[in-house]
Amino acid sequence: MTDHPATPPTSEAGLPFSKLPLSPAMLACLQQLGYQTMTPIQAASLPVALSGRDLIAQAKTGSGKTAAFGLALLNRLNPQDFAVQAMVLCPTRELADQVTQEIRRLARFQENIKVLPLCGGSAMRNQITSLENGVHIVVGTPGRIMDHMERGSIKLDALNTLVLDEADRMLDMGFHDDIAYVAKRCPKERQTLLFSATYPEGIAQLARQFLRQPEEVKLLEQHAESKIRQRFYEVEKEQRLPAVVSLLKHYRPVSTLAFCNTKQQCRDLVNTLRHAGIHALTLNGDLEQRERDQVLIQFANRSCSVLVATDVAARGLDIADLEAVINVDVTPDPEIHIHRIGRTGRGDQDGWALSLCSPGDRRRVATIAQAMNCQLEIHDLATLDNSDDSPLVPPMVTLQILGGRKDKIRPGDILGALTGEAGFTREQVGKITVTDQSSYVAIARACGRDAVRKLGAGKVKGKTVKVRILTD
Ligand code: ADP
Ligand code: MG
């Protein structure tokens, strides 16, 4: 996984860095790098970061977040003290390498500032030697940094800045507990900066745990309603459930959240979808916690096409990229409607908000249009193209590994087992979730059986494990 900054931020309209309390040497360095003015996220977050306050900053990929924290931690750095003064946690080795390079560029204004990447896949011994020789800034993945902490090869007494970069991605990859381990062992008196491209509920939770009265900076201009394409389709009440099938076959979204107003309707819709060969699961209050976890895991890692839920069941759902939200019923409350459809079209993705309404719902649709201050068109279901009758198949399948946190299994162990001896590529492996008793990993659907066989025959963290494909 790499982080491609698609287009460098356009910053013509931004303010000059000289507005900030930065040293002349640093300003000259920025000039040299061709950074004429601040990008919007830099303009919004640097004054806070430089003031020493904790910060949550949200802006899309490629918006210049690295310099936003890089300048803050460099500004505070004492180059004479060869001790780790700042630590940046990143989700992957590639991202850690990119951040290391950017910080090194920004550090050129000063002689001899040591920035060290600490990721898996490089020899531990070399990293330990570098740490012994003195390092100012470490940038790494939570797992490897944890390893160094456990061995005592990294000292954090002088640490004054902790950065969680791409925090949403780190949570996606199952790093919550590793982040917690590291953060709890950092000095209490420190500044914590959290950067993220999206803002799912998990981020708020993380911030409550490890940040102190953070200032929040969000640049949402890219997430505006225009990213959500909204369409209403008129259909007689009794035709709603088959109409959902038609919508799915026409739009063919990878992940869809379908809202029903009642539990009974949820059950009926799941049955209708399954009859049509669509992989659907439902969330309802009758599920045990473990079952609920499994449903959410399968949906979030793209091995289930449609999640059917009521508003209550979907509360607090932490799912980032949804291609579509389908409202099987129009809600009478426009606030709820807006909240429902806000779950699609996040980040860089466009999203569809598709709603079914019966002729009797026109008033509700009008209320929503008024609340959203826009014109809502009502389309005819007959305009949908259902000629592509190939089944809608989720790209991934979930493997359940019997063994989890209690067995000291970490996401990296599973990724290692799959990409090591088992011979799968990083691209074939999806989201990894480790719970107390079990671990779950998404793998490209075509590799599912092969992966069960190879993982079952091999070892995870030196132990043989039981593996199965999770169905429902
Ligand atoms: P993000 O972390 O938000 O995805 P990056 O920090 O990787 O974004 O920055 C994206 C690109 O923009 C990088 O190539 C970086 O060098 C460049 N960049 C950052 N700040 C500025 C600036 N103020 N002016 C011009 N280019 C910048
Ligand atoms: Mg970044």
Side-chain angles (χ1 to χ4, degrees):
M1 273 203 286
T2 48
D3 184 16
H4 293 294
T7 40
T10 49
S11 47
E12 285 86 350
L15 293 166
F17 285 96
S18 55
K19 291 268 178 215
L20 299 170
L22 295 170
S23 69
M26 173 70 92
L27 291 173
C29 169
L30 289 165
Q31 277 267 286
Q32 232 181 28
L33 289 176
Y35 292 11
Q36 307 288 346
T37 54
M38 291 186 261
T39 66
I41 189 66
Q42 290 164 356
S45 61
L46 272 166
V48 180
L50 290 169
S51 79
R53 292 199 50 187
D54 282 6
L55 170 74
I56 301 174
Q58 183 196 349
K60 65 176 187 132
T61 299
S63 53
K65 295 192 285 296
T66 317
F69 60 78
L71 291 175
L73 56 87
L74 286 168
N75 192 53
R76 187 166 315 140
L77 198 88
N78 174 4
Q80 271 79 52
D81 181 10
F82 277 84
V84 177
Q85 296 167 51
M87 174 157 71
V88 183
L89 299 183
C90 299
T92 64
R93 182 201 172 102
E94 288 78 15
L95 289 169
D97 286 340
Q98 286 178 21
V99 168
T100 302
Q101 282 162 19
E102 175 81 354
I103 295 178
R104 283 185 180 147
R105 272 199 294 270
L106 295 169
R108 273 195 221 136
F109 73 103
Q110 273 268 356
E111 297 262 299
N112 220 2
I113 292 182
K114 298 271 184 236
V115 190
L116 177 69
L118 291 177
C119 301
S122 303
M124 206 58 187
R125 175 176 296 276
N126 295 346
Q127 293 179 352
I128 293 171
T129 309
S130 301
L131 284 165
E132 281 167 358
N133 289 339
V135 167
H136 297 104
I137 301 166
V138 294
V139 181
T141 47
R144 180 51 71 100
I145 288 185
M146 233 171 97
D147 289 344
H148 281 287
M149 291 171 83
E150 280 169 354
R151 285 171 178 241
S153 46
I154 186 168
K155 301 247 174 317
L156 297 176
D157 318 314
L159 188 105
N160 55 38
T161 316
L162 172 66
V163 180
L164 309 178
D165 191 23
E166 307 256 1
D168 50 352
R169 200 93 82 86
M170 288 201 284
L171 291 181
D172 265 358
M173 295 178 65
F175 282 138
H176 175 275
D177 293 358
D178 292 4
I179 296 170
Y181 180 99
V182 172
K184 281 184 189 143
R185 285 160 184 80
C186 288
K188 283 223 157 39
E189 282 304 317
R190 61 158 199 265
Q191 181 185 33
T192 310
L193 306 171
L194 185 157
F195 286 78
S196 190
T198 62
Y199 197 87
E201 169 57 23
I203 295 292
Q205 246 169 5
L206 197 67
R208 279 196 294 277
Q209 278 179 285
F210 302 112
L211 274 65
R212 293 200 297 194
Q213 299 174 333
E215 186 98 28
E216 290 189 28
V217 170
K218 294 187 187 178
L219 287 186
L220 295 174
E221 77 267 52
Q222 298 301 322
H223 301 210
E225 275 129 59
S226 58
K227 302 225 55 158
I228 303 174
R229 291 164 295 180
Q230 174 152 235
R231 287 192 183 164
F232 282 75
Y233 287 89
E234 196 159 273
V235 54
E236 292 302 331
K237 259 194 160 36
E238 48 285 358
Q239 286 306 307
R240 278 189 192 196
L241 303 188
V244 176
V245 175
S246 301
L247 288 175
L248 291 167
K249 293 240 155 144
H250 175 85
Y251 288 96
R252 310 190 75 80
V254 176
S255 298
T256 302
L257 184 54
F259 284 102
C260 294
N261 285 353
T262 66
K263 275 203 251 181
Q264 183 56 47
Q265 197 183 32
C266 286
R267 280 191 284 267
D268 295 344
L269 179 57
V270 167
N271 288 335
T272 305
L273 294 176
R274 287 188 181 169
H275 273 296
I278 294 170
H279 198 302
L281 294 172
T282 184
L283 267 188
N284 65 55
D286 307 337
L287 298 180
E288 286 174 33
Q289 187 59 41
R290 190 181 46 89
E291 294 171 313
R292 187 181 156 89
D293 289 348
Q294 290 186 350
V295 167
L296 288 175
I297 286 166
Q298 290 181 78
F299 185 60
N301 73 18
R302 316 206 130 204
S303 36
C304 159
S305 303
V306 185
L307 181 63
V308 179
T310 59
D311 293 295
V312 175
R315 192 168 294 157
L317 267 194
D318 185 6
I319 294 159
D321 330 311
L322 282 179
E323 279 81 5
V325 166
I326 296 181
N327 295 304
V328 183
D329 286 306
V330 183
T331 68
D333 183 345
E335 289 272 348
I336 293 182
H337 180 86
I338 293 167
H339 186 68
R340 283 178 172 184
I341 70 171
R343 293 170 177 279
T344 186
R346 296 200 192 158
D348 290 336
Q349 236 103 35
D350 286 344
W352 285 108
L354 309 169
S355 305
L356 296 172
C357 56
S358 57
D361 289 330
R362 290 228 172 115
R363 186 186 293 273
R364 289 184 181 180
V365 176
T367 317
I368 289 169
Q370 205 175 17
M372 297 189 73
N373 196 18
C374 63
Q375 292 268 317
L376 299 179
E377 311 145 45
I378 298 187
H379 296 256
D380 189 341
L381 214 53
T383 58
L384 293 177
D385 173 11
N386 277 181
S387 59
D388 182 356
D389 205 34
S390 57
L392 187 65
V393 182
M396 312 298 277
V397 64
T398 302
L399 309 187
Q400 179 182 17
I401 298 165
L402 300 181
R405 238 175 264 150
K406 288 229 162 76
D407 311 277
K408 304 240 180 320
I409 290 182
R410 287 200 232 136
D413 302 324
I414 297 168
L415 183 61
L418 284 166
T419 57
E421 219 159 287
F424 294 102
T425 65
R426 181 66 188 86
E427 287 66 38
Q428 288 168 328
V429 183
K431 195 162 161 169
I432 299 172
T433 315
V434 177
T435 68
D436 280 347
Q437 310 281 359
S438 277
S439 305
Y440 302 89
V441 54
I443 187 136
R445 188 154 282 263
C447 309
R449 283 181 192 291
D450 198 23
V452 168
R453 200 171 46 74
K454 288 182 173 154
L455 270 187
K459 289 190 169 165
V460 176
K461 195 133 194 179
K463 283 192 218 130
T464 34
V465 288
K466 282 215 169 70
V467 187
R468 64 175 191 123
I469 292 187
L470 202 61
T471 43
D472 301 352

